[in-house]
Amino acid sequence: MQNKLQELTDKLYNEGLSKGREEGEALLAKAKSQAVDIVAEAEKKAAEIMTKAEKEAEAYKVKVAGDLKMAASQSVQATRKDIEDLVVFKMTGSATEKALSDEAFLKEVIKAVAEKFNAETAMDLNLVLPETLKSSLEPFVKGQVNASFSKRIAGGFTIGPKDGSYFISLTDETFKELISEYLRPATRKLLFGE
């Protein structure tokens, strides 16, 4: 009986052991399969993240390159314009200011403009001259036109009908702007070959 009990115990032990091994192997196989799936999913997500990061980096690189190119182009254009302005100002600045601050020159121009206005239409004129030339030009214009003097004008003058409907400006600033528009294309071509 002892033998049979031993046999039964061994049989139960072996069956339990074998069943436990089978379940253990099944769990191990399932865990390995899940691990493979988890690793595959992680690799897939990592690849997607890398692809997305590479695309974003490339887009950012293209954007930065475009921004740098545009900034460089604008800087070059601004520098060229500054150089052009300096050259044009040097060519026109002091000579214009000197001529439009010269009393004799201003008297001749004012006289010619006033005569032209009066010859075409009889109207009351309003003349604005530089404050700095008030003492020398006030006696000249007195009785001919209505004149006032302004600190805003450094040289030259503005003239127009008394009603203010329009005016003609021959100040040093307006003359420089006018002449520089004609000088700019030639200056640009000379400086930059454009």
Side-chain angles (χ1 to χ4, degrees), residues 7 15 22 35 38 47 50 70 76 82 87 110 185 192:
E7 272 182 39
E15 282 180 14
E22 286 175 12
I38 290 170
M50 288 297 292
M70 184 173 62
V76 168
D82 289 346
V87 170
I110 292 168
F192 309 115

Side-chain angles (χ1 to χ4, degrees), residues 7-191:
E7 272 182 39
L8 188 60
T9 306
D10 287 344
K11 186 178 177 183
L12 284 174
Y13 176 77
N14 287 336
E15 282 180 14
L17 190 58
S18 108
K19 192 171 186 179
R21 277 190 190 139
E22 286 175 12
E23 286 179 8
E25 287 174 6
L27 285 173
L28 186 60
K30 185 177 178 185
K32 284 182 181 179
S33 174
Q34 286 177 342
V36 169
D37 290 346
I38 290 170
V39 169
E41 184 66 26
E43 287 175 350
K44 181 181 172 188
K45 285 187 178 181
E48 288 173 358
I49 290 169
M50 288 297 292
T51 302
K52 183 179 177 186
E54 287 171 357
K55 284 180 182 177
E56 287 176 356
E58 186 61 30
Y60 187 70
K61 180 181 172 184
V62 168
K63 184 180 183 307
V64 168
D67 288 349
L68 287 174
K69 186 176 180 180
M70 184 173 62
S73 175
Q74 289 173 343
S75 294
V76 168
Q77 291 302 322
T79 302
R80 282 183 170 187
K81 183 169 180 353
D82 289 346
I83 291 169
E84 185 181 323
D85 289 346
L86 285 171
V87 170
V88 168
F89 179 74
K90 284 285 187 188
M91 291 167 47
T92 62
S94 59
T96 301
E97 289 173 10
K98 185 177 178 184
L100 292 176
S101 295
D102 180 52
E103 295 171 28
F105 177 73
L106 280 177
K107 286 178 182 178
E108 289 299 316
V109 174
I110 292 168
K111 185 176 177 185
V113 170
E115 286 174 1
K116 187 69 173 169
F117 265 109
N118 288 332
E120 290 182 5
T121 56
M123 64 174 67
D124 289 335
L125 296 176
N126 188 29
L127 176 68
V128 181
L129 293 161
E131 182 73 33
T132 56
L133 298 176
K134 183 175 183 176
S135 61
S136 59
L137 291 179
E138 191 171 35
F140 170 73
V141 294
K142 198 173 224 173
Q144 295 182 31
V145 292
N146 181 30
S148 60
F149 295 87
S150 173
K151 292 180 181 176
R152 289 187 279 171
I153 298 176
F157 62 92
T158 62
I159 191 168
K162 204 173 196 178
D163 65 7
S165 57
Y166 68 91
F167 67 91
I168 297 170
S169 178
L170 188 62
T171 62
D172 51 356
E173 290 86 15
T174 57
F175 187 76
K176 282 183 218 173
E177 286 176 23
L178 175 67
I179 199 72
S180 70
E181 289 304 312
Y182 292 103
L183 288 176
R184 284 187 196 285
T187 306
R188 191 176 303 117
K189 188 172 184 175
L190 179 70
L191 291 175

